[in-house]
């Protein structure tokens, strides 16, 4: 591939996307990512095979245990990239790819349920475009930068680009990396069990492992648990994690977390999640009224799953567990059963911080979103920094509110992302508040530490603008009141328009013309 000054992932994306043709991004992503996965595991297989030859162990070349002991997948002849490329120009190459995927699953139990099932044959991608795509991916040496995780970078880049291409209402499988990085820096998942109840393509787990590596921890101290409802996304997650060599329990199958919790007895030390925003009819045909996950709280309303996700997460936390998760801003001030649950969460001293994020951070929606930090034991947890531990001060009843809407930088022209300095500054503020109140100070338009009494006086609203001081921005507008006013104004305008139309028709009728509108 010609040198263009662009990264490997950028060049590969441009080449692969040109070959997409009329195939929808939602379909095409499985084609491209599956082939990248196949190329990578074939390259690692061939590398291990060469090692065995150099060690004089030719008699063991087709014994899978000699590959598995080095965390390499064993591939029979018909499942290898070299075999696919020898047949790339044949009319039945799609069938051969599907056969390769099925063979790989059969021979590697950790990949069961991870790979597309007869996908290439069913999709019907033009043979010439499929052959050209194979050639494009074949040009990439997936092992040339093993220490820099080139395949992981390509996978991550492609997931983000496909999420952008799919647009609003789609791309639920991907949470922007800078948000995941921020969550990891805030909750610090150094060791223990980490869980994501709606894990998408597995991005939360990958960034958690990167966090541990960056802070000189040991990734072997982390056990990964997750669940994902959409079958194709479940497969993406398993492939994504397999490429990184991350062992994870994502449940036996793709399944609804509410209707079929595949980790009923799990108590996680860390939870990171980006649940579907404002999910309606989440109970489906299931009753779930007496579900133990709501024990001690009111039953979450059927109309919106936001508080069902919150209580599910709370129920999964260990005695000293911490969670960082995203919700639409409406959860900060909902009424009815949501109010009752929110009030009990505050009274139970579970909410540690509420951070409002900028608009346009997500590829699927442009609404402003809130990051919640929940801690099961705010009184006696320890803070990990630079490999050392520090006992946190007693912050009973306090909640830190942060407004991050004025930070971040442009990304892909119309999106916003946090840079490393943004993430470091926000995390520093949060951890200073946790451990040293003498050094922490409220900052207008940025952060405020509210006591229980202050929150109770605001009727347990968690809207940050009710607590943070604003000097240059008018944040005193009550959203619900303003919306009611706008609704009334809009109704009056519609009524006036209807009246004008009636008067105009009467004039034409008086002139002898009947007009139908």
């Amino acid at each position: 591939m010609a040198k263009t000054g662009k990264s490997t992932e950028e060049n590969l994306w441009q080449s692969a996307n040109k070959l997409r043709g009329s195939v929808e991004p939602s379909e095409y992503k499985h084609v491209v990512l599956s082939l990248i996965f196949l190329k990578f595991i074939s390259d690692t297989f061939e590398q291990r095979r060469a090692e065995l030859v150099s060690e004089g162990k030719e008699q063991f070349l087709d014994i899978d245990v000699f590959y598995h002991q080095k965390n390499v997948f064993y591939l029979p002849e018909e499942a290898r990239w070299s075999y696919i490329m020898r047949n790339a120009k044949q009319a039945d190459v799609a069938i051969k790819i599907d056969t390769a995927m099925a063979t790989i699953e059969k021979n590697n139990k950790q990949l069961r349920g991870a790979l597309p099932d007869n996908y290439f044959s069913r999709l019907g991608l033009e043979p010439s475009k499929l052959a050209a795509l194979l050639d494009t991916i074949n040009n990439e040496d997936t092992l040339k930068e093993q220490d820099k995780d080139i395949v992981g970078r390509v996978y991550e880049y492609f997931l983000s680009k496909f999420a952008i291409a799919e647009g609003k209402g789609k791309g639920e499988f991907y949470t922007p990396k800078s948000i995941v990085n921020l969550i990891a820096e805030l909750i610090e998942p150094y060791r223990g069990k980490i869980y994501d109840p709606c894990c998408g393509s597995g991005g939360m787990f990958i960034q958690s492992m990167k966090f541990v590596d960056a802070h000189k921890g040991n990734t072997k101290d982390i056990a990964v648990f997750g669940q994902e409802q959409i079958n194709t996304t479940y497969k993406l997650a398993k492939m994504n994690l397999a490429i990184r060599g991350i062992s994870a329990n994502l449940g036996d199958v793709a399944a609804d977390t509410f209707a079929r919790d595949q980790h009923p007895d799990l108590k996680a030390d860390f939870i990171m999640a980006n649940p579907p925003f404002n999910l309606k009819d989440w109970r489906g045909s299931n009753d779930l009224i007496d579900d133990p996950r709501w024990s001690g709280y009111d039953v979450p309303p059927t109309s919106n799953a936001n508080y069902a996700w919150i209580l599910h997460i709370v129920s999964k936390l260990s005695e000293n567990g911490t969670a960082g998760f995203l919700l639409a801003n409406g959860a900060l001030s909902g009424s009815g059963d949501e109010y009752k649950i929110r009030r009990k969460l505050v009274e139970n001293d579970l909410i540690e911080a509420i951070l409002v994020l900028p608009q346009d951070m997500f590829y699927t929606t442009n609404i402003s979103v809130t990051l919640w930090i929940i801690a099961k034991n705010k009184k006696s947890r320890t803070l990990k920094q630079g490999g050392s531990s520090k006992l946190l001060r007693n912050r009973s009843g306090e909640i830190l509110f942060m407004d991050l809407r004025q930070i971040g930088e442009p990304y892909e022209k119309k999106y916003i992302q946090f840079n490393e300095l943004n993430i470091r500054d926000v995390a520093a503020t949060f951890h200073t508040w946790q451990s040293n109140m003498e050094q922490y100070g409220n900052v207008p338009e940025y952060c405020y530490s509210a006591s229980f009494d202050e929150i109770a006086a605001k009727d347990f609203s968690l809207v940050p603008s009710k607590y943070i001081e604003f000097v240059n921005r008018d944040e005193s507008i009550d959203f619900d009141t303003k919306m009611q006013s706008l609704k009334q104004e809009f109704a009056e305008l519609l009524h006036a328009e209807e009246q004008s139309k009636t008067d105009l028709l009467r004039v034409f009728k008086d002139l002898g013309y009947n007009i139908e509108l």
Side-chain angles (χ1 to χ4, degrees):
M1 186 174 293
K3 300 294 183 181
T4 64
K6 295 182 179 179
S7 65
T8 298
E9 49 267 44
E10 287 176 298
N11 283 320
L12 185 55
W13 167 260
Q14 288 183 355
S15 299
N17 202 41
K18 286 178 182 176
L19 298 169
R20 179 164 64 87
S22 59
V23 180
E24 287 294 317
S26 57
E27 299 279 6
Y28 192 59
K29 71 169 177 277
H30 300 293
V31 172
V32 177
L33 294 173
S34 297
L35 291 177
I36 291 173
F37 176 79
L38 180 57
K39 175 67 162 61
F40 172 68
I41 63 172
S42 292
D43 286 351
T44 55
F45 167 80
E46 296 294 353
Q47 183 184 58
R48 176 58 179 154
R49 189 177 177 87
E51 286 177 358
L52 291 173
V53 171
S54 68
E55 295 167 1
K57 299 177 180 177
E58 288 89 346
Q59 68 270 36
F60 304 125
L61 292 181
D62 292 312
I63 300 178
D64 57 8
V65 68
F66 284 87
Y67 296 87
H68 295 163
Q69 66 185 204
K70 295 288 187 177
N71 294 318
V72 173
F73 298 113
Y74 173 74
L75 306 181
E77 172 66 22
E78 68 274 18
R80 298 170 193 169
W81 184 261
S82 56
Y83 176 81
I84 297 298
M85 289 309 300
R86 287 199 299 272
N87 292 274
K89 303 300 188 287
Q90 303 300 314
D92 65 345
V93 66
I95 296 175
K96 285 183 167 59
I97 295 171
D98 283 332
T99 301
M101 297 291 183
T103 303
I104 292 168
E105 277 204 14
K106 181 180 178 182
N107 285 274
N108 298 278
K109 63 181 181 180
Q110 61 267 57
L111 289 176
R112 300 282 165 83
L115 305 182
D117 182 18
N118 291 326
Y119 193 81
F120 287 81
S121 303
R122 289 186 282 110
L123 185 60
L125 187 66
E126 293 178 35
S128 61
K129 288 188 179 295
L130 180 53
L133 180 60
L134 288 166
D135 285 338
T136 295
I137 294 173
N138 190 53
N139 287 332
E140 296 301 327
D141 179 1
T142 67
L143 303 180
K144 68 180 179 182
E145 299 179 59
Q146 284 180 296
D147 61 325
K148 295 183 179 179
D149 188 24
I150 183 173
V151 175
R153 284 200 337 254
V154 168
Y155 224 78
E156 189 173 81
Y157 186 81
F158 272 50
L159 284 170
S160 67
K161 297 295 281 189
F162 278 123
I164 292 170
E166 289 183 56
K168 294 180 182 179
K170 299 180 181 179
E172 295 91 343
F173 54 87
Y174 187 78
T175 304
K177 182 173 68 172
S178 73
I179 296 178
V180 185
N181 287 345
L182 175 61
I183 297 174
E185 290 290 340
L186 293 175
I187 72 172
E188 300 186 306
Y190 277 100
R191 63 177 58 87
K193 297 176 182 177
I194 184 167
Y195 171 60
D196 184 344
C198 38
C199 67
S201 57
M204 297 285 189
F205 303 133
I206 289 159
Q207 293 309 129
S208 297
M209 294 300 184
K210 288 183 178 180
F211 172 86
V212 173
D213 279 335
H215 292 77
K216 311 304 181 186
N218 188 344
T219 55
K220 292 181 180 179
D221 291 337
I222 294 287
V224 173
F225 297 84
Q227 186 158 337
E228 171 56 41
Q229 179 177 2
I230 301 172
N231 189 51
T232 52
T233 308
Y234 172 81
K235 292 176 182 291
L236 272 182
K238 297 198 80 169
M239 284 192 287
N240 199 10
L241 295 173
I243 276 178
R244 296 331 204 289
I246 298 173
S247 178
N249 181 348
L250 303 186
D252 295 331
V253 295
D256 183 334
T257 301
F258 294 125
R260 185 180 174 185
D261 180 7
Q262 297 191 71
H263 307 289
D265 301 319
L266 176 67
K267 292 298 179 182
D269 301 292
F270 302 98
I271 297 178
M272 301 171 70
N274 176 21
F277 299 152
N278 302 320
L279 183 66
K280 302 183 185 305
D281 301 322
W282 55 275
R283 288 186 201 163
S285 59
N286 298 280
D287 184 12
L288 296 179
I289 296 296
D290 298 319
D291 194 284
R293 287 172 286 187
W294 335 134
S295 179
Y297 295 87
D298 286 70
V299 178
T302 306
S303 59
N304 193 312
N306 288 342
Y307 276 79
W309 286 115
I310 295 174
L311 293 184
H312 173 83
I313 288 169
V314 168
S315 75
K316 293 296 183 185
L317 284 174
S318 65
E319 182 180 351
N320 294 309
T322 308
F325 56 92
L326 302 163
L327 288 176
N329 285 359
L332 300 172
S333 59
S335 58
D337 291 332
E338 290 190 349
Y339 167 82
K340 295 175 184 176
I341 297 170
R342 185 173 63 256
R343 176 170 180 161
K344 183 65 71 69
L345 289 168
V346 175
E347 290 174 340
N348 289 345
D349 200 18
L350 290 171
I351 301 173
E352 187 164 36
I354 298 289
L355 300 86
V356 175
L357 306 185
Q359 288 184 317
D360 299 317
M361 294 201 79
F362 287 83
Y363 309 133
T364 56
T365 178
N366 62 359
I367 66 172
S368 182
V369 173
T370 307
L371 167 56
W372 294 51
I373 305 295
I374 279 183
K376 204 65 179 289
N377 187 352
K378 288 160 64 175
K379 294 181 180 180
S380 60
R381 291 186 305 114
T382 55
L383 175 67
K384 306 287 186 183
Q385 286 185 326
S388 61
S389 300
K390 180 188 296 184
L391 188 67
L392 299 180
R393 67 182 181 83
N394 188 336
R395 292 161 294 111
S396 296
E398 292 178 73
I399 296 177
L400 177 65
F401 292 94
M402 299 188 71
D403 189 322
L404 310 185
R405 290 176 296 171
Q406 300 302 306
I407 69 173
E409 62 184 16
Y411 172 70
E412 292 282 341
K413 296 181 180 179
K414 61 178 180 178
Y415 301 105
I416 296 294
Q417 67 178 3
F418 295 136
N419 57 38
E420 291 184 9
L421 180 60
N422 297 148
I423 293 171
R424 188 163 61 246
D425 287 347
V426 172
T429 299
F430 176 65
H431 293 315
T432 299
W433 172 81
Q434 283 184 310
S435 61
N436 193 330
M437 202 59 183
E438 292 181 0
Q439 292 184 13
Y440 168 83
N442 296 324
V443 179
E445 303 190 19
Y446 178 56
C447 61
Y448 185 86
S449 179
S451 67
F452 175 85
D453 289 341
E454 288 177 287
I455 297 165
K458 301 287 186 181
D459 201 19
F460 298 94
S461 169
L462 297 179
V463 176
S465 60
K466 289 184 177 292
Y467 304 93
I468 298 173
E469 179 186 358
F470 287 90
V471 179
N472 299 317
R473 286 185 282 160
D474 183 7
E475 297 286 337
S476 62
I477 299 172
D478 183 85
F479 179 78
D480 293 332
T481 302
K482 184 64 175 176
M483 285 303 297
Q484 288 297 324
S485 175
L486 289 173
K487 181 179 177 182
Q488 179 63 31
E489 291 178 20
F490 188 57
E492 291 173 358
L493 285 171
L494 288 176
H495 178 73
E497 181 187 14
E498 192 66 31
Q499 185 61 48
S500 296
K501 185 168 65 175
T502 301
D503 293 342
L504 183 60
L505 291 174
R506 186 180 301 112
V507 169
F508 275 100
K509 187 175 182 179
D510 291 343
L511 293 173
Y513 298 96
N514 288 319
I515 297 177
E516 297 282 341
L517 292 180

